[in-house]
Amino acid sequence: MTYQEWDFVADTYIPLLGVFFTVSMINVARNKDWMSLRQSITGVLLSTGFIYGLMWLDNIMNIWPRLGLDYSTHTALALVFVVYFSRQSTTKRLLATSSMLLYCLLMLYQQYHSIMDMLTTSIITLPILYLIQLRTSKTKNISGCNIK
């Protein structure tokens, strides 16, 4: 494939994750699980806000450039959805993680970002994305009662 064709594949990845998320939310709505719907959408929106807030902060403070690196918005935004899907089931975790690794390899091949760009972005964002989505989702104790 040509560079432009691989570029198209890379540019399609995050919107495709968004489509899968939307389909997932439609299925949740069909089941009339309004609490899960609200929590999932809230978690993804707050996570996305965090990603773009961090990008804004990096643009103002030049955090990554001071280290000779580039904040990878591509990586961070993809991780928003990967974290969401990874929390759904083992199969989805495997698929989401595998697709993310392939996406990182593609970004490296296309020279969008270096390994260190993607790695540092992931190390900083991943724990916070997980916590945001964990805190906005319902959790159950052993008796099945919702707790926060």
Side-chain angles (χ1 to χ4, degrees):
M1 289 179 67
T2 67
Y3 180 90
Q4 289 77 18
E5 290 168 330
W6 283 118
D7 188 53
F8 176 77
V9 171
D11 287 346
T12 305
Y13 180 69
I14 294 173
L16 194 56
L17 289 175
V19 168
F20 289 146
F21 175 75
T22 302
V23 169
S24 176
M25 294 301 95
I26 290 169
N27 288 334
V28 170
R30 282 185 183 153
N31 292 330
K32 299 185 185 206
D33 188 353
W34 308 119
M35 180 72 79
S36 290
L37 182 69
R38 182 183 61 79
Q39 292 168 338
S40 296
I41 292 171
T42 300
V44 166
L45 288 176
L46 288 173
S47 295
T48 303
F50 164 70
I51 292 308
Y52 283 104
L54 187 56
M55 181 186 74
W56 175 81
L57 188 63
D58 182 52
N59 286 336
I60 298 297
M61 300 182 71
N62 294 313
I63 301 164
W64 268 261
R66 287 183 189 179
L67 302 170
L69 300 171
D70 182 32
Y71 172 72
S72 176
T73 310
H74 293 97
T75 301
L77 188 56
L79 284 173
V80 168
F81 295 106
V82 168
V83 167
Y84 168 77
F85 289 117
S86 293
R87 298 187 66 245
Q88 303 307 306
S89 70
T90 303
T91 302
K92 288 180 183 178
R93 181 180 308 117
L94 179 62
L95 289 171
T97 302
S98 298
S99 74
M100 184 71 201
L101 291 173
L102 290 171
Y103 182 57
C104 287
L105 288 173
L106 180 56
M107 287 192 292
L108 186 62
Y109 176 76
Q110 292 292 95
Q111 299 178 348
Y112 292 172
H113 293 287
S114 70
I115 291 173
M116 287 304 293
D117 293 341
M118 294 180 281
L119 189 61
T120 55
T121 300
S122 297
I123 289 170
I124 298 298
T125 60
L126 198 51
I128 297 168
L129 293 174
Y130 183 78
L131 286 174
I132 289 170
Q133 293 191 33
L134 179 68
R135 293 297 298 154
T136 57
S137 68
K138 61 182 172 189
T139 56
K140 295 184 178 186
N141 65 16
I142 294 172
S143 68
C145 298
N146 289 339
I147 57 172
K148 291 194 180 206

